[in-house]
Amino acid sequence: MTPSVSSLLQKDSRLTLDQLDRFARLGYLVLPGFLPEDLVERLKPEADAWVDKGLRSRSIASCIDPGGLGAPPVMELELPAHGELIAHPPLLGLISQLMDGDFAFHHLHSDRQAPDVPGKAWHHDYEQTTPDDRSHLMVHALHYLDGLDPGVSSLAVLPGSHHQVQGKRDLMHRGTEPLPGEIVLDDLPAGSTVVLHSALFHARRPQPLGQGRPRYFVDASYCATGTQWPPVKPYWRHMLRRARELSLDRGRWPELFAEHHFTEYDPAR
């Protein structure tokens, strides 16, 4: 039997030339069952606590009113399994290949989305100082702890759209409606990861209201070194400092949490 992509990556974190070419052309890679089961089992209760204890809401409030609230009392990366996920060796090995050089951690989001969560319109997540700058690679690793199936909202991607320089919201007027050439991902096992070029347009297509089950989702972003990136959280320095204090890079990735890769936070972005 031919080894799966995920088992090969767990072993040596190497992508094939075909996979690298596919990512360059299409802007995404699908890694079924990429995360080890024990890590998934530790991530899910952390996501539950993150939502149920109001920590996620508090972190959002800190972004809305940074002057009044300051940094949140707890960040996602301070949850042990979430911190481990950021520098999961097979994941960083894969990203190192895609970047073909050093890279930095940009941000982490975690959520347990309710069955009736609305869809998220077509958008991309690429950050740069000027909208037409695509000189350096940024990727988002979308981790689906329970996988994707008809019981939860699906992920739709628009292959190749990262080659077009467009604003993040240029397709939002289309809502979550099907677009020509799209690929819908709705059949992935637990612990699957989808790696997107951050400029790739994608959407969360909702299930009918009142159906389905919670959707466990963790989103981690990384950006190539060699330029400065706009941060998306006002407390980004605190975030990177805590990551260094917790030694989340395991001594292997010296640029992962370095501050000099970022501009100052701009609340108008």
Side-chain angles (χ1 to χ4, degrees), residues 143-161:
H143 304 291
Y144 297 95
L145 305 186
D146 274 347
L148 292 175
D149 60 44
V152 297
S153 301
S154 59
L155 172 67
V157 300
L158 199 58
S161 57

Side-chain angles (χ1 to χ4, degrees), residues 9-14 84-97 101-104 243-244 246-258:
L9 289 169
Q10 293 286 351
K11 194 172 181 180
D12 60 13
S13 301
R14 302 300 296 174
E84 180 179 335
L85 176 63
I86 290 171
H88 182 51
L91 175 65
L92 295 196
L94 178 156
I95 291 173
S96 180
Q97 279 189 274
D102 288 331
F103 55 93
R244 295 193 301 270
L246 293 168
S247 299
L248 296 185
D249 68 351
R250 308 177 190 188
R252 296 180 55 187
W253 306 92
E255 297 300 319
L256 193 61
F257 303 114

Side-chain angles (χ1 to χ4, degrees), residues 50 58-59 62-63 66 69-79 86 105-108 231-248 256-260 262-265:
W50 180 247
R58 178 62 174 79
S59 72
S62 285
C63 292
L69 295 176
V74 180
M75 295 177 291
E76 296 99 318
L77 59 74
E78 294 177 298
L79 307 175
I86 290 171
F105 168 73
H106 194 272
H107 67 266
L108 180 74
V232 295
K233 297 189 178 185
Y235 50 88
W236 65 276
R237 290 185 189 277
H238 171 64
M239 178 184 70
L240 295 178
R241 183 171 61 252
R242 283 296 291 142
R244 295 193 301 270
E245 290 171 354
L246 293 168
S247 299
L248 296 185
L256 193 61
F257 303 114
E259 296 179 11
H260 62 88
F262 300 95
T263 65
E264 292 301 323
Y265 175 73

Side-chain angles (χ1 to χ4, degrees), residues 31-98:
L31 307 173
F34 178 66
L35 300 179
E37 184 177 348
D38 73 293
L39 179 56
V40 172
E41 289 176 351
R42 288 182 286 120
L43 284 164
K44 286 182 63 178
E46 288 185 356
D48 286 333
W50 180 247
V51 173
D52 294 337
K53 293 182 178 181
L55 298 172
R56 180 175 184 273
S57 297
R58 178 62 174 79
S59 72
I60 294 172
S62 285
C63 292
I64 295 173
D65 183 18
L69 295 176
V74 180
M75 295 177 291
E76 296 99 318
L77 59 74
E78 294 177 298
L79 307 175
H82 281 70
E84 180 179 335
L85 176 63
I86 290 171
H88 182 51
L91 175 65
L92 295 196
L94 178 156
I95 291 173
S96 180
Q97 279 189 274
L98 295 177

